[in-house]
């Protein structure tokens, strides 16, 4: 089996690639830098440029499934120019794949799994969101995710199942939000944001990688929340990070206006609250390995891992 992955060298993509290799699944990946095209039979790179819809058609050879993760990070200041990049990077990626798929025998593709985000759900301290909820958050991120999923749906005409994984807060010490949350705590300046009552629907990166492979291997279609079973408040998360790092918390919560001054509109993601259900993917038969935030953080920070020096780290040089 061979899988084509966009965004394979990112945080989530590296983990999925490692999981594929552990299952003897070969990976083709797409890169916008020709000098980063390296690899072998198990991991081969190909050039593309989604902005111009250019793609090396050889990337599809022998591929029976596609995982789409590509998209500009939302963790940068949301200037008008960068907001355009956040959206276009997601839309153009899918349009380029669509263009490429039209030029091959798409019947060879048995599954298409695309990343999405729980940011589509409205900010709420009380609601509990399942995939059937039709509401869209009235924010930049909510609108981006809505258009992202709509673009993924344009591939329905090819006949293969399409699943969209709405990713929550990814728990990993190799990148993403967790190291940024842990950094001030390590230096005795950590604190929750705002009231601290906003819900954080989190997932261990290894469980997230397993969900993508589960959706692919089982030919799932439709929307699935990529979150663990037990969301926590921001207060709880910050306290548990401090506990596992053995650091005190003595500063008051950081007011919203302070972060708005520092980060501008992007500060919204620090205060948005989405309590999201994982029941749908569990009903398909998926079992989470990491369900408790305390044990998850201990696993990430206190458990020695041989994998820290293995293939996952090696792949990062291809970013």
């Amino acid at each position: 089996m061979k899988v084509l992955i966009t965004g394979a060298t990112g945080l989530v993509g590296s983990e999925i690639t490692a999981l594929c290799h552990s299952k003897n699944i070969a990976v083709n990946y797409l890169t916008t830098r020709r000098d980063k095209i390296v690899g072998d039979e198990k991991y081969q790179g190909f050039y593309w440029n989604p902005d111009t819809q250019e793609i090396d058609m050889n990337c599809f050879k022998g591929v029976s499934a596609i995982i789409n993760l590509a998209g500009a990070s939302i963790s940068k200041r949301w200037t008008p120019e960068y907001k355009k990049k956040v959206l276009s990077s997601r839309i153009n990626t899918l349009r380029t794949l669509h263009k490429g798929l039209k030029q091959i025998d798409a019947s060879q593709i048995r599954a298409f799994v695309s990343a999405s985000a729980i940011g589509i759900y409205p900010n709420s301290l009380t609601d509990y969101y399942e995939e059937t909820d039709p509401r869209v958050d009235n924010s930049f991120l909510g609108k981006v995710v809505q258009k992202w999923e709509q673009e993924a749906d344009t591939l329905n005409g090819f006949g293969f199942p399409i699943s969209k994984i709405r990713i929550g807060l990814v728990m990993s010490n190799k990148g993403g939000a967790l190291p940024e949350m842990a950094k001030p705590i390590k230096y005795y300046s950590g604190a929750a944001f705002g009231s601290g009552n906003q819900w954080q629907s989190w997932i261990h990166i290894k469980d997230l990688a397993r969900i993508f492979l589960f959706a692919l291997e089982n030919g799932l279609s439709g929307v699935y929340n990529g979150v663990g079973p037990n969301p926590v408040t921001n207060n709880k998360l910050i306290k548990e990070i401090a506990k596992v790092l053995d650091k005190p918390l003595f500063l008051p919560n950081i007011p919203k206006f302070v972060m708005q001054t520092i980060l501008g509109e992007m500060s919204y993601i620090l205060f948005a609250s989405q309590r999201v259900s994982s029941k749908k993917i569990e009903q398909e038969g998926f079992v989470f390995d990491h369900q408790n935030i305390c044990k998850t953080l201990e696993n990430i920070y206190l458990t020695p891992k041989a994998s820290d020096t293995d293939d996952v780290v090696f792949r990062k040089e291809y970013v």
Side-chain angles (χ1 to χ4, degrees):
M1 184 178 184
K2 183 178 289 185
V3 179
L4 174 63
I5 303 180
T6 73
T9 58
L11 178 67
V12 177
S14 294
E15 196 68 42
I16 293 175
T17 296
L19 181 58
C20 284
H21 287 164
S22 73
K23 291 173 168 278
N24 202 30
I25 298 172
V27 171
N28 283 359
Y29 70 95
L30 288 160
T31 176
T32 56
R33 293 182 57 178
R34 295 184 190 273
D35 61 325
K36 298 298 183 182
I37 299 174
V38 297
D40 50 39
E41 290 184 359
K42 287 186 63 181
Y43 188 74
Q44 179 63 55
F46 298 88
Y47 177 78
W48 75 333
N49 185 344
D51 290 337
T52 61
Q53 293 194 11
E54 180 181 355
I55 185 170
D56 184 344
M57 296 299 296
N58 290 314
C59 71
F60 294 108
K61 286 185 178 179
V63 167
S64 57
I66 299 172
I67 294 177
N68 175 51
L69 303 167
S73 171
I74 62 167
S75 299
K76 292 186 179 180
R77 181 175 281 271
W78 292 354
T79 63
E81 182 178 356
Y82 192 70
K83 286 168 76 171
K84 290 179 182 178
K85 182 177 180 180
V86 167
L87 178 59
S88 66
S89 65
R90 287 159 172 77
I91 301 303
N92 291 344
T93 291
L94 288 162
R95 288 179 179 173
T96 303
L97 288 172
H98 191 285
K99 179 183 177 181
L101 286 165
K102 287 176 67 176
Q103 299 176 55
I104 67 168
D105 178 8
S107 64
Q108 72 184 48
I109 307 299
R110 298 199 298 268
F112 187 103
V113 186
S114 183
S116 181
I118 65 170
I120 194 170
Y121 297 117
N123 176 21
S124 173
L125 293 175
T126 57
D127 289 338
Y128 185 43
Y129 293 110
E130 297 184 350
E131 293 85 345
T132 53
D133 198 306
R135 291 174 290 173
V136 176
D137 191 35
N138 186 29
S139 66
F140 165 67
L141 187 55
K143 293 170 184 175
V144 164
V145 178
Q146 181 183 41
K147 292 178 181 177
W148 195 8
E149 292 190 355
Q150 289 173 344
E151 194 64 37
D153 289 339
T154 65
L155 278 71
N156 279 319
F158 289 109
F160 44 70
I162 298 172
S163 54
K164 293 158 286 189
I165 310 300
R166 290 177 175 170
I167 301 173
L169 179 63
V170 180
M171 295 285 101
S172 169
N173 62 351
K174 296 177 182 176
L178 182 58
E180 298 305 314
M181 291 181 169
K183 190 182 299 180
I185 294 173
K186 290 178 179 177
Y187 293 100
Y188 305 96
S189 57
F193 295 105
S195 69
N197 293 325
Q198 63 270 33
W199 287 100
Q200 314 239 251
S201 296
W202 59 273
I203 184 168
H204 193 295
I205 191 168
K206 290 190 180 297
D207 275 339
L208 181 59
R210 290 177 54 239
I211 284 178
F212 272 87
L213 262 291
F214 182 87
L216 182 153
E217 292 173 335
N218 290 278
L220 301 186
S221 61
V223 176
Y224 291 87
N225 291 327
V227 298
N230 297 298
V232 295
T233 64
N234 182 248
N235 274 329
K236 171 72 171 175
L237 179 58
I238 295 299
K239 287 178 181 176
E240 292 302 330
I241 295 173
K243 180 180 178 182
V244 77
L245 294 177
D246 195 24
K247 300 292 182 182
L249 289 175
F250 51 82
L251 294 179
N253 288 14
I254 303 171
K256 185 180 292 188
F257 78 87
V258 172
M259 299 312 298
Q260 286 176 332
T261 301
I262 296 171
L263 301 176
E265 186 181 355
M266 192 200 82
S267 64
Y268 178 79
I269 62 179
L270 301 176
F271 301 94
S273 174
Q274 286 110 359
R275 188 163 63 108
V276 179
S277 170
S278 64
K279 289 181 182 178
K280 185 178 178 183
I281 193 70
E282 291 180 281
Q283 288 170 349
E284 294 285 357
F286 183 84
V287 178
F288 287 88
D289 288 337
H290 305 276
Q291 302 190 26
N292 177 281
I293 191 62
C294 312
K295 293 186 182 301
T296 292
L297 292 169
E298 288 175 0
N299 172 267
I300 290 171
Y301 283 108
L302 302 182
T303 306
K305 299 180 182 65
S307 61
D308 286 346
T309 58
D310 69 5
D311 185 68
V312 178
V313 175
F314 175 73
R315 299 306 176 199
K316 290 183 180 298
E317 70 176 272
Y318 299 137
V319 176

